[in-house]
């Protein structure tokens, strides 16, 4: 299916969604006696479930309005402090309160928006001055802005860290653990005074030969020609990025869902039952998760293809053959940046050991400046969101950062 064909189908689905919404509003209106009957409840549950399958999901907001620090509440304002064609650096400004040490939270550019880390940000805010990389949807970036490659990603991180200055701690989640590690090594080799004070790498593919998952196996199963011919599409007419080559978000989402198809089907079945029996709290939790999960972005083709080849096929980080701007990256240059690696025992996307590999790759970091944490019971998303993250992982991260503040 071409991107243009998908776009037509998605627009048609959205029109169907609007029609279903009108009917649902009529059925569920308090003045309609049918809404209080089993027939009405069954109809409403069916309509709302159908609406979720025909809806186009837009990027959500972070919507963080307040934070409590040291017993005092502060309003939170989102400020774009640095804007690049493919990314905004966003500061969660607790108005009236500033910490010297800053945390740069590097969100993945892997299909979902940075708002997927809303819970991560909320948990960090009471203790840290938080900035996040808010990656652009490639279909919204005009073609004349040029390409966005693997090296461009590293350059963005270096520029962001230099902007924030010498009191910066970097946290990277999943895919960008790769670029965060490279950026730190490049800055360390240059003896840059702004080299991160600490680097926290969470659930990332730094050595994809360790405990390979379905993601790793899929990458090896298909040649690069398949990715170029099947996975890469052209942004259709009607978008600012018309003509740009991308890996579409809808394809990435399809891959995410297919990995755990039965789980998603069961969640939708439970949602239908919750609507039918009036379990509003459970239904709201479902909506909150899937409103964010279903909102996806397109990735620049050059970045996606280079990542597949260099990280998942060639395993260049672990093999120490990775380059930046044509020059070999020297991970031995990292000696004054504290390193924390975090993994989930049940992670089915980044297998155990893939992130911990950074501990061996960075040979010159003193032992007393290293820490590795495996969270029992945590899957991939549990590493950075949900109650397990808030109760068990965020305190470990905060303690580590504060130790080197």
């Amino acid at each position: 299916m071409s991107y243009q064909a998908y776009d037509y189908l998605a627009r048609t689905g959205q029109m169907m969604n609007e029609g279903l919404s009108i009917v649902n509003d009529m059925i569920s209106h308090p003045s309609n006696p049918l809404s209080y009957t089993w027939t009405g409840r069954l109809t409403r549950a069916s309509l709302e479930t159908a609406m979720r399958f025909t809806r186009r999901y837009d990027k959500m907001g972070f919507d963080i309005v307040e934070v409590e620090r040291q017993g005092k509440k502060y309003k939170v304002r989102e400020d774009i402090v640095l804007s690049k064609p493919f990314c905004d650096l966003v500061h969660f400004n607790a108005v009236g309160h500033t910490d010297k040490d800053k945390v740069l939270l590097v969100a993945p550019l892997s299909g979902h928006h940075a708002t997927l880390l809303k819970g991560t940000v909320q948990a960090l805010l009471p203790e840290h001055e938080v900035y996040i990389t808010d990656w652009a949807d490639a279909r919204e970036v005009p073609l004349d802005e040029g390409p966005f490659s693997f090296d461009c990603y590293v350059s963005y991180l270096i520029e962001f860290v230099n902007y924030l200055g010498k009191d910066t701690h970097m946290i990277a989640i999943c895919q960008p653990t790769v670029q965060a590690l490279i950026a730190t090594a490049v800055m360390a080799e240059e003896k840059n005074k702004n080299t991160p004070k600490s680097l926290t790498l969470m659930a990332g593919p730094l050595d994809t030969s360790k405990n390979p998952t379905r993601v790793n196996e899929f990458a090896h199963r298909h040649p690069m020609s398949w990715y170029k011919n099947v996975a890469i599409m052209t942004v259709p007419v009607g978008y600012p990025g018309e003509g740009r080559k991308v890996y579409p978000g809808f394809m990435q989402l399809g891959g995410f869902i297919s990995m755990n198809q039965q789980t998603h089907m069961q969640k939708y079945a439970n949602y239908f039952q919750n609507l039918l029996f009036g379990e509003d709290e459970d239904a709201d939790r479902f909506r909150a998760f899937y409103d964010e999960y279903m909102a996806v972005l397109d990735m620049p083709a050059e970045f996606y293809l280079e990542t597949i080849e260099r990280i998942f096929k060639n395993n260049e980080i672990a093999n120490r053959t990775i380059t930046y701007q044509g020059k070999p990256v020297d991970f031995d240059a990292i000696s004054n940046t504290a390193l924390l690696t975090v993994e989930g025992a049940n992670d089915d996307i980044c297998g155990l050991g893939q992130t911990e590999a950074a501990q061996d790759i960075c040979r010159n970091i003193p032992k007393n400046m290293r820490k590795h944490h495996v969270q029992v019971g945590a899957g991939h998303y549990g590493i950075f969101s949900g109650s397990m993250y808030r109760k068990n992982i965020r305190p470990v991260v905060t303690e580590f950062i504060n130790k080197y503040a």
Side-chain angles (χ1 to χ4, degrees), residues 76-263:
V76 175
R77 188 179 67 212
E78 290 178 35
D79 295 332
I80 298 175
V81 295
L82 196 59
S83 186
K84 305 282 290 180
F86 289 89
C87 187
D88 287 332
L89 180 60
V90 177
H91 177 210
F92 295 92
N93 184 359
V95 181
H97 188 286
T98 303
D99 288 330
K100 177 175 70 76
D101 288 273
K102 299 166 283 287
V103 169
L104 173 59
L105 180 60
V106 187
L109 178 54
S110 56
H112 283 112
H113 295 278
T115 48
L116 188 69
L117 303 187
K118 175 181 177 178
T120 318
V121 174
Q122 283 180 314
L124 289 170
L125 270 177
E127 302 288 341
H128 307 286
E129 196 76 18
V130 181
Y131 297 75
I132 195 169
T133 56
D134 190 7
W135 300 103
D137 187 336
R139 75 181 184 187
E140 302 298 325
V141 182
L143 200 56
D144 60 12
E145 292 289 357
F148 183 80
S149 66
F150 187 98
D151 281 1
C152 287
Y153 196 126
V154 177
S155 296
Y156 271 37
L157 295 191
I158 293 173
E159 183 173 349
F160 291 159
V161 174
N162 277 327
Y163 174 83
L164 295 177
K166 62 181 180 179
D167 297 315
T168 300
H169 303 263
M170 187 151 52
I171 301 174
I173 295 174
C174 192
Q175 162 266 314
T177 56
V178 169
Q179 285 80 13
L181 183 58
I182 294 171
T184 302
V186 170
M187 296 181 76
E189 187 175 7
E190 294 174 348
K191 294 181 170 47
N192 189 320
K193 65 179 181 180
N194 297 323
T195 302
K197 298 175 74 173
S198 74
L199 179 62
T200 299
L201 305 176
M202 305 173 70
L206 299 172
D207 185 349
T208 55
S209 69
K210 295 183 180 295
N211 295 311
T213 64
R214 283 176 290 176
V215 174
N216 308 129
E217 292 166 358
F218 185 90
H220 284 283
R221 195 181 309 134
H222 296 84
M224 287 307 300
S225 58
W226 181 90
Y227 288 98
K228 293 174 183 176
N229 296 328
V230 177
I232 302 304
M233 297 184 181
T234 304
V235 176
V237 175
Y239 295 96
E242 175 185 340
R244 181 179 292 282
K245 296 292 185 182
V246 297
Y247 176 50
F250 68 83
M251 289 193 68
Q252 179 78 323
L253 181 62
F256 288 148
I257 292 175
S258 66
M259 286 182 59
N260 295 286
Q261 189 173 354
Q262 290 300 120
T263 301

Side-chain angles (χ1 to χ4, degrees), residues 267-337:
K267 285 184 178 181
Y268 268 89
N270 293 342
Y271 174 63
F272 180 86
Q273 289 184 337
N274 291 331
L275 292 173
L276 187 61
F277 294 104
E279 300 290 342
D280 295 336
E281 190 173 327
D282 289 338
D284 285 341
R285 276 197 292 267
F286 175 93
R287 293 187 190 103
F289 175 79
Y290 277 98
D291 283 355
E292 186 65 67
Y293 187 78
M294 300 292 283
V296 290
L297 54 75
D298 296 350
M299 284 182 272
E302 51 279 351
F303 167 75
Y304 173 74
L305 292 173
E306 286 184 73
T307 298
I308 293 294
E309 185 170 25
R310 300 175 72 178
I311 302 306
F312 289 95
K313 285 186 174 293
N314 299 342
N315 201 19
E316 293 182 11
I317 293 284
N319 292 334
R320 306 179 77 88
T321 57
I322 198 80
T323 61
Y324 170 67
Q325 296 182 349
K327 181 182 176 183
V329 177
D330 181 11
F331 296 110
D332 290 344
I334 306 175
S335 59
N336 293 319
T337 297

